[in-house]
Amino acid sequence: MDIGGGYGATAGWLAAHEGVEVTGFTLSEAQAAVGRTRPGFTCFVRDWLDNGLPDGAFDRAYAIESSEHMVDKARFFAEAHRVLKPGGRFVVCAWLEGDGVTHWQVRHLLEPICREGRLPSMGSRADYEALSAAAGFRLLRYDDISREVRRTWTICLRRLAGHVFTDREIRHLALSRATENREFILSLPRLILALRGGAMRYGVFLWERA
């Protein structure tokens, strides 16, 4: 189960290299159209929080940078627990609020990042562990890979800046007020500061359905 898998790139890779069948959910018909072209991947345009799946239907599940967008994170975990078989594994990769963030970091980095990135909230490691435990998961492993991904937003900003000068369509999308979610572009410098300053972390969780 791929929860919020977008265009299905990870699902397609898993199907091709691991020989598994993957079912995924997205809220975008455009993303689903691309995902349905990938062998071994079945993609639905449906809200994960109201997915309509039967209980205990899946062996494994993962969510890569989609949990941050969930309005009800407790239900996000509860639904994952419900659709997994006993002993099923659940992996979540997520941008997290760092430990001991200051008022300045919250006001000038985290809150604007959530607003501009259309995130209802950004949970901490402690939040995720508490919510998953309440849903019935047992934590097997946690890895903080913030150092390994700290160049992510710098690379994104550098590539965007280069295309703005060389690609007319990209320049129009970046500068036009009519562009949906244009605010996210403005948030890139904040993301760089938040990750490098510790206000944001990148965590990888592995749980088992108890």
Side-chain angles (χ1 to χ4, degrees):
M1 169 58 58
D2 184 328
I3 303 171
Y7 296 100
T10 302
W13 189 94
L14 288 171
H17 291 82
E18 300 296 332
V20 298
E21 294 288 327
V22 183
T23 298
F25 284 79
T26 177
L27 295 177
S28 167
E29 184 59 53
Q31 290 180 338
V34 175
R36 289 169 185 147
T37 66
R38 304 184 190 277
F41 181 45
T42 302
C43 189
F44 294 100
V45 179
R46 196 182 301 170
D47 188 346
W48 170 250
L49 301 181
D50 188 22
N51 58 68
L53 294 172
D55 296 352
F58 292 87
D59 300 297
R60 303 285 188 268
Y62 62 89
I64 301 177
E65 298 176 22
S66 61
S67 59
E68 301 93 321
H69 294 274
M70 299 291 171
V71 175
D72 187 341
K73 289 182 174 55
R75 189 170 178 182
F76 161 77
F77 282 106
E79 284 300 295
H81 186 274
R82 184 182 66 79
V83 304
L84 280 171
K85 298 175 182 178
R89 299 291 179 87
F90 183 32
V91 171
V92 172
C93 306
W95 296 101
L96 304 168
E97 178 183 308
D99 296 327
V101 294
T102 67
H103 176 72
W104 187 93
Q105 288 174 318
V106 171
R107 181 175 180 182
H108 296 286
L109 295 176
L110 297 182
E111 288 182 350
I113 286 170
C114 287
R115 184 171 60 252
E116 293 160 356
R118 304 295 191 269
L119 308 179
S121 64
M122 186 183 298
S124 64
R125 174 184 176 181
D127 293 333
Y128 275 60
E129 291 184 355
L131 290 169
S132 61
F137 283 106
R138 180 169 68 93
L139 181 66
L140 299 180
R141 178 171 176 173
Y142 172 79
D143 293 300
D144 185 320
I145 60 169
S146 303
R147 175 180 289 273
E148 288 80 357
V149 303
R150 66 181 179 182
R151 295 176 59 237
T152 297
W153 302 116
T154 303
I155 292 171
C156 291
L157 184 59
R158 186 186 304 123
R159 289 179 178 176
L160 175 64
H163 285 301
V164 165
F165 288 106
T166 60
D167 189 314
R168 179 180 299 177
E169 291 186 7
I170 294 295
R171 183 165 58 251
H172 175 73
L173 286 171
L175 301 178
S176 173
R177 293 184 179 276
T179 300
E180 189 176 359
N181 297 328
R182 175 174 173 265
E183 294 88 349
F184 180 72
I185 296 173
L186 305 177
S187 198
L188 286 173
R190 263 192 277 266
L191 287 160
I192 294 169
L193 289 174
L195 187 57
R196 289 187 176 271
M200 281 176 60
R201 310 297 298 175
Y202 196 96
V204 181
F205 301 86
L206 170 61
W207 287 284
E208 182 178 71
R209 185 192 189 280

